[in-house]
Amino acid sequence: MAATAERTPGGAPEEKPEGTPCWVDVLLPDLEAGKRFYGELFGWTFAEDGGIQGPYATALSDGLRVAGLAPKRDGRMPTAWGVYLATADAVALAARIREVGGQVITEPVRVGAAGVTALAADPGGAVFGVWEAGEHAGFEKEGLPGSYCWTEVYTRARDKDAVDAFYADLFGYRTRDIDDPSADFRVWSPAGPGEPTDADAIGGRSVIGGAFPAEMPAHFLVYFAVADCDETVAAALRLGGRVTEEPFDTPYGRIALLADDQGAAFAVLAEPRAA
């Protein structure tokens, strides 16, 4: 899954290829409760500024930016984790999103000196953010315990072809389908030469199957790396969260699906231990 990356605070940001996940944040009814939950679960500390305007807590792991927590401005907004995909030009990308069949929910807006953001939805209805970096380049640590490591979009089978075409047209992803008759999963790699590989994979597309509630909407699922999946699950339960899928083993590591104590869903992944 996601490659390991870390840099020191103030170091030169690495420019991410177009369409690469570069930031995640969660909208919560109670910001302080969220800080307590994730602070205990992942060992995060929080900065109240981080270059983002308004009430916003930037989560730090080992002093490096890993995620954001924000209070919901409207009770009708979902309590959910969201992912932001990198772009060099948010305005131009918003225009392309419309051209290839997506919807721009929030027009590009400058967030102080931090950057420019917009909110969009793919043809299946899954919502994602875009981020044109300014002073806030996004993750300073990823792929290591306590930080983001992967994302995938879940869409309805009826929307799969349109969704696949949307991301391929929008970002030029190189793709490959997982050879598993029990799963309909497409892996994304950034645009570029050569065949896509595990080493350059940045995310993927899955299909909402019969194991999910009938009312589940299309959505992105955010994964965080942890040292021990089962210990993290136990800690989440102790903190008032719940398990939506018990830990299971995959070729990429041990995974569990969780929800925090306010209902925001996410996944955790512990990479296989070396023999």
Side-chain angles (χ1 to χ4, degrees):
M1 287 189 172
T4 298
E6 186 170 1
R7 69 180 180 87
T8 56
E14 179 183 348
E15 185 173 338
K16 288 182 174 290
E18 186 98 340
T20 301
C22 62
W23 191 245
V24 292
D25 61 17
V26 62
L27 291 175
L28 298 168
D30 187 332
L31 178 59
E32 292 304 314
K35 290 162 64 176
R36 289 191 296 270
F37 180 90
Y38 290 103
E40 287 282 342
L41 188 67
F42 294 137
W44 289 348
T45 57
F46 298 93
E48 297 305 321
D49 184 359
I52 305 296
Q53 292 178 323
Y56 195 91
T58 298
L60 309 174
S61 177
D62 298 323
L64 303 174
R65 288 194 305 255
V66 291
L69 279 65
K72 295 200 295 185
R73 299 185 301 274
D74 185 328
R76 294 170 295 182
M77 299 173 72
T79 299
W81 279 96
V83 63
Y84 294 79
L85 306 179
T87 180
D89 188 332
V91 172
L93 183 62
R96 293 209 311 274
I97 287 169
R98 291 190 178 95
E99 290 171 0
V100 298
Q103 177 186 1
V104 177
I105 300 171
T106 303
E107 295 289 343
V109 60
R110 181 164 296 280
V111 187
V116 180
T117 189
L119 202 62
D122 68 24
V127 175
F128 61 95
V130 301
W131 185 252
E132 176 189 333
E135 292 182 357
H136 191 304
F139 299 126
E140 292 179 319
K141 173 182 178 181
E142 59 184 302
L144 298 170
S147 66
Y148 166 89
C149 65
W150 184 252
T151 193
E152 56 207 23
V153 64
Y154 282 80
T155 195
R156 295 281 176 194
R158 65 176 180 265
D159 299 319
K160 180 186 73 169
D161 291 345
V163 167
D164 285 345
F166 172 79
Y167 289 105
D169 291 344
L170 185 63
F171 295 120
Y173 289 153
R174 291 170 295 136
T175 63
R176 59 190 174 89
D177 294 330
I178 296 296
D179 186 16
D180 182 348
S182 67
D184 189 338
F185 195 94
R186 173 163 289 189
V187 180
W188 298 333
S189 293
E195 293 298 315
T197 67
D198 280 349
D200 61 17
I202 58 168
R205 184 271 301 147
S206 190
V207 169
I208 299 172
F212 295 91
E215 67 276 10
M216 177 173 284
H219 64 282
F220 274 84
L221 178 65
V222 171
Y223 285 69
F224 294 101
V226 295
D228 188 298
C229 181
D230 295 83
E231 287 183 3
T232 303
V233 168
L237 290 172
R238 175 174 54 81
L239 293 166
R242 58 187 173 87
V243 180
T244 59
E245 188 163 356
E246 295 287 345
F248 60 96
D249 292 310
T250 76
Y252 303 100
R254 191 160 173 81
I255 292 171
L257 274 60
L258 305 171
D260 67 24
D261 57 344
Q262 300 183 64
F266 61 100
V268 293
L269 165 68
E271 291 188 354
R273 291 186 171 88

